[in-house]
Amino acid sequence: MIKEDIKSIKELLSSPKKIVLIPHKNPDGDAIGSTLGLLHYLNKYKHDAVIIAPNDYPDFLKWMPGESTVLKYDQQKDVCDKWLVSAEIIFTLDFNSLGRIGEMESVVAKTEAIKIMIDHHQQPETYAKFMYSDVFMSSTCEMVYNFIDMLDDTDKIDEAIATCLYTGIMTDTGSFRFPSTTSATHKIIGNLIEKGANNSQIHNNIMDTNSYERTQLLGRALSNLKIIPEYRTAYITLTQEELNTFNFKKGDTEGFVNYGLSLKGIIFAAIFIESQQDQIIKISLRSKGDFSVNELSRTHFQGGGHTNAAGGKSDLSMNDTIDKFISILPQYKKDLKA
């Protein structure tokens, strides 16, 4: 972000404003962590600020400081619309296309609020007046830390801010395993621990969430795991019937796709999850090295994300979706066998 933009934002935030912070639909740890972390920071300057999430999110994210104040658009539409229409500033965090916020898109697009984007995904749209976009960052939470630093305000980071930002960085880096984790990321993590983030407790809050039914669902997912060795690819399927059998709750399949990627010799993994409510097959893609699942998802599955982690969807049946997936692999044979 250029100095002129930082100067303008600093001036904009110098007096109390009505501010809305928005994560993407089906928010994850980075989306909730970044919005909550920034909310706590803005509260220190007496801004009238609120987070509006497009919809609900998993219970394992609901322990973070301030989470109980988050509004859900799909449950509180009238209240949320009043906030959006009257907002002076809208921060959009962890997404770069208004299509990622579902029903909220048309309302947010029409509002006269000054929009500020903070995001690390590829190919951002240009809806925001101020854009802090960096695809090389580990997470949006790391970017929020940098944003506060650009405003010369890291001394304002307290335990609540540190806890939220640590959570987002940890979840979006796979507990600091992914290639996007840099020495700068670790320095920021160290600073957040010094500011009060209890790293051990945060890991426990996120990881110690397995129920018996989720464990059973994982067993079913692993029994459905298929390997295509000639393309160094693995994939998992879960039908709506299977989800119902194990009393599926939002967030239960988080991380399942990584089991395929953990297999020796596999560099590309996918999971296909049927959603009868949305009438789609939800797709999560992961890869190792230079193989871009972002490009594959954008080209074939109406999605996108990062080089090594992306999402998408299919309007076909589960069987037809899998047939399509297998049929496109020969196009990537050279990259997958490299």
Side-chain angles (χ1 to χ4, degrees):
M1 184 171 269
I2 61 175
K3 289 182 179 180
E4 288 78 7
D5 285 351
I6 289 296
K7 183 179 178 181
S8 297
I9 293 172
K10 208 168 185 176
E11 185 175 337
L12 196 62
L13 297 176
S14 64
S15 60
K17 298 288 191 302
K18 191 161 188 177
I19 301 175
V20 173
L21 301 91
I22 305 175
H24 56 75
K25 188 176 181 180
N26 301 319
D28 55 9
D30 192 27
I32 296 298
S34 59
T35 49
L36 281 171
L38 187 55
L39 177 73
H40 290 305
Y41 169 74
L42 294 172
N43 285 342
K44 290 180 177 291
Y45 286 94
K46 309 301 181 185
H47 294 289
D48 187 13
V50 69
I51 296 169
I52 300 178
N55 62 344
D56 204 2
Y57 39 87
D59 288 344
F60 65 76
L61 298 175
K62 293 183 176 178
W63 57 269
M64 280 188 273
E67 185 280 328
S68 61
T69 67
V70 177
L71 300 178
K72 317 294 194 311
Y73 191 82
D74 63 342
Q75 301 171 20
Q76 301 160 286
K77 187 176 184 298
D78 291 343
V79 174
C80 293
D81 280 342
K82 289 177 182 177
W83 267 98
L84 291 169
V85 169
S86 60
E88 297 170 88
I89 301 171
I90 293 178
F91 280 91
T92 66
L93 292 100
D94 203 36
F95 68 93
N96 59 23
S97 166
L98 292 183
R100 293 281 282 115
I101 55 175
E103 287 184 89
M104 297 173 65
E105 178 181 2
S106 60
V107 181
V108 173
K110 292 175 184 176
T111 183
E112 295 181 3
I114 294 171
K115 297 177 182 67
I116 303 174
M117 175 203 297
I118 303 178
D119 178 67
H120 65 136
H121 296 88
Q122 297 180 1
Q123 296 171 266
E125 294 181 355
T126 56
Y127 61 82
K129 180 174 182 179
F130 300 108
M131 293 174 57
Y132 177 21
S133 175
D134 189 341
V135 300
F136 298 105
M137 284 286 168
S138 72
S139 57
T140 299
C141 278
E142 180 171 348
M143 297 178 73
V144 170
Y145 180 95
N146 290 338
F147 179 70
I148 295 173
D149 189 25
M150 292 173 193
L151 297 174
D152 300 318
D153 256 354
T154 53
D155 61 309
K156 296 288 194 302
I157 295 177
D158 57 15
E159 181 179 341
I161 297 172
T163 297
C164 295
L165 298 186
Y166 184 105
T167 301
I169 297 172
M170 183 198 84
T171 54
D172 236 37
T173 60
S175 296
F176 319 112
R177 300 193 319 270
F178 298 160
S180 58
T181 308
T182 64
S183 59
T185 308
H186 284 291
K187 288 174 184 175
I188 289 171
I189 285 297
N191 290 340
L192 294 176
I193 292 173
E194 289 178 358
K195 296 285 188 178
N198 185 331
N199 56 310
S200 177
Q201 187 59 53
I202 292 170
H203 279 262
N204 289 339
N205 289 342
I206 294 292
M207 302 302 181
D208 294 349
T209 56
N210 269 350
S211 65
Y212 175 74
E213 289 168 322
R214 181 181 186 272
T215 305
Q216 293 285 92
L217 180 61
L218 173 60
R220 177 60 59 86
L222 294 179
S223 72
N224 292 347
L225 175 65
K226 301 287 191 299
I227 298 174
I228 309 175
E230 62 268 33
Y231 297 114
R232 302 174 72 185
T233 294
Y235 68 91
I236 293 169
T237 59
L238 283 170
T239 65
Q240 186 69 61
E241 183 179 358
E242 289 171 318
L243 297 176
N244 294 342
T245 297
F246 299 104
N247 194 25
F248 169 78
K249 294 184 289 297
K250 187 181 288 287
D252 277 355
T253 57
E254 187 77 23
F256 282 14
V257 66
N258 295 322
Y259 283 89
L261 199 62
S262 71
L263 296 174
K264 184 177 180 180
I266 298 299
I267 65 167
F268 177 31
I271 186 168
F272 301 89
I273 302 171
E274 184 179 15
S275 172
Q276 286 184 349
Q277 179 180 350
D278 297 324
Q279 295 186 314
I280 60 171
I281 305 297
K282 297 180 179 180
I283 305 169
S284 290
L285 305 171
R286 299 292 184 270
S287 69
K288 296 176 183 175
D290 296 330
F291 182 67
S292 176
V293 290
N294 170 63
E295 187 276 329
L296 185 146
S297 183
R298 285 181 182 276
T299 303
H300 301 285
F301 293 112
Q302 309 172 57
H306 305 286
T307 298
N308 298 121
K313 65 179 182 178
S314 169
D315 300 316
L316 305 173
S317 68
M318 178 67 82
N319 288 339
D320 288 345
T321 298
I322 298 304
D323 288 344
K324 176 180 176 179
F325 176 70
I326 293 172
S327 74
I328 66 176
L329 291 178
Q331 300 177 36
Y332 299 93
K333 184 174 183 179
K334 182 178 178 182
D335 294 328
L336 289 168
K337 294 181 74 70

